[in-house]
Amino acid sequence: MRILIAGGHGKIALLLSRQLADAGHEPVGIIRNPAQAADIRAAGAVPLVLDLEHSTIDQVAAALAGADATVFAAGAGANSNADRKLMLDRDGAILLADASVRAGVRRMIVVSSMGADGFDADSDDVFQIYLRAKSEADAAVRQRELDWTIVRPGALTDEEPTALVTVGKTVDRGSIARADVAAIILALLVDVSGVGRQFEVISGQTPITEALAALPLD
Ligand code: NAP
């Protein structure tokens, strides 16, 4: 499968690229900085330069030609301001979804965030805007004619993966290794599981494939 990953140089994206390439797939890492191309290649992916904050739907749809699935793993980053949360974390994800519809690429996995729907609508705190951006992006993706899955991880760590998780419509606050999130995305893509499902996930006691097979219905 040819999988386009938005935020290709991100930590989850690089781990996912390696896992996809090792499993015989063709990951394509979308980057906005051409200097990151060598890192993308080193992770086993093909680099594709595209800035999701400054691209048209036609440009993104053209980049999606021949893809079997997309993954939104981009993020404006911890030090970004509220405007970029809305421009990338929300509008960038919606742009990718709309371009996927236009290009006929039905499968889409979104890396969202635990607790996204609990944002404080009256707050201008950047973290609350981030949660709002994720929540509104997820709501838009759920409305699209796509085979979407929305993954809402707890706090991300760079620890070693355990391949053991707790999933649910909502779960207690907790953390999860980025490599485990990547393994979840790989499993969702390869097994074509979790279509039309949105779930929170943290590190836990259940093997990933078993947890995904028992995903809650909305
Ligand atoms: P990350 O390492 O922060 O990577 C994000 C990537 O997005 C970067 O490579 C960045 O590239 C790229 N990006 C930024 N603006 C872009 C644009 N306009 N067009 C294309 N790409 C752009 O991400 P991560 O830590 O793997 O996290 C992945 C996702 O999980 C994010 O959506 C994050 O919000 C979400 N999440 C995070 C946590 C947490 O605890 N941190 C918890 C739950 C969910 P540049 O190098 O060009 O900036």
Side-chain angles (χ1 to χ4, degrees):
M1 281 188 291
R2 181 175 169 90
I3 315 289
L4 256 85
I5 308 171
H9 196 260
K11 289 181 175 179
I12 288 177
L14 288 171
L15 293 163
L16 175 63
S17 291
R18 173 46 58 208
Q19 292 180 18
L20 281 165
D22 287 350
H25 299 289
E26 190 187 342
V28 178
I30 296 177
I31 48 175
R32 56 181 178 155
N33 178 358
Q36 294 170 340
D39 293 340
I40 301 292
R41 286 197 193 90
V46 175
L48 192 158
V49 178
L50 193 71
D51 185 335
L52 286 174
E53 288 164 83
H54 300 97
S55 297
T56 64
I57 183 170
D58 286 337
Q59 288 170 321
V60 182
L64 290 176
D68 298 292
T70 61
V71 177
F72 185 84
N79 298 320
S80 59
N81 61 24
D83 285 350
R84 288 208 55 233
K85 303 292 185 203
L86 297 175
M87 281 170 59
L88 179 66
D89 294 272
R90 183 187 63 189
D91 299 345
I94 296 171
L95 175 62
L96 185 65
D98 286 338
S100 299
V101 172
R102 184 166 297 186
V105 181
R106 285 196 64 91
R107 189 75 173 112
M108 179 176 189
I109 314 281
V110 177
V111 182
S112 178
S113 172
M114 168 182 277
D117 297 336
F119 68 89
D120 178 354
D122 297 322
S123 172
D124 54 10
D125 174 74
V126 174
F127 184 65
Q128 295 303 317
I129 308 259
Y130 164 75
L131 292 178
R132 182 185 136 205
K134 288 294 202 188
S135 176
E136 291 179 354
D138 294 352
V141 169
R142 292 194 302 269
Q143 306 265 313
R144 299 296 184 273
E145 282 288 316
L146 291 171
D147 294 336
W148 52 264
T149 304
I150 296 169
V151 183
R152 292 181 154 183
L156 299 175
T157 75
D158 296 324
E159 287 169 14
E160 287 298 308
T162 64
L164 297 172
V165 296
T166 296
V167 303
K169 202 169 172 186
T170 60
V171 299
D172 290 340
R173 287 176 92 170
S175 63
I176 181 167
R178 286 180 171 87
D180 280 327
V181 177
I184 288 167
I185 297 168
L186 176 73
L188 290 167
L189 289 168
V190 170
D191 301 341
V192 198
S193 60
V195 172
R197 307 288 174 88
Q198 170 181 292
F199 61 92
E200 293 188 348
V201 60
I202 56 172
S203 186
Q205 299 298 327
T206 308
I208 285 172
T209 42
E210 200 179 304
L212 295 181
L215 279 177
L217 285 166
D218 281 335

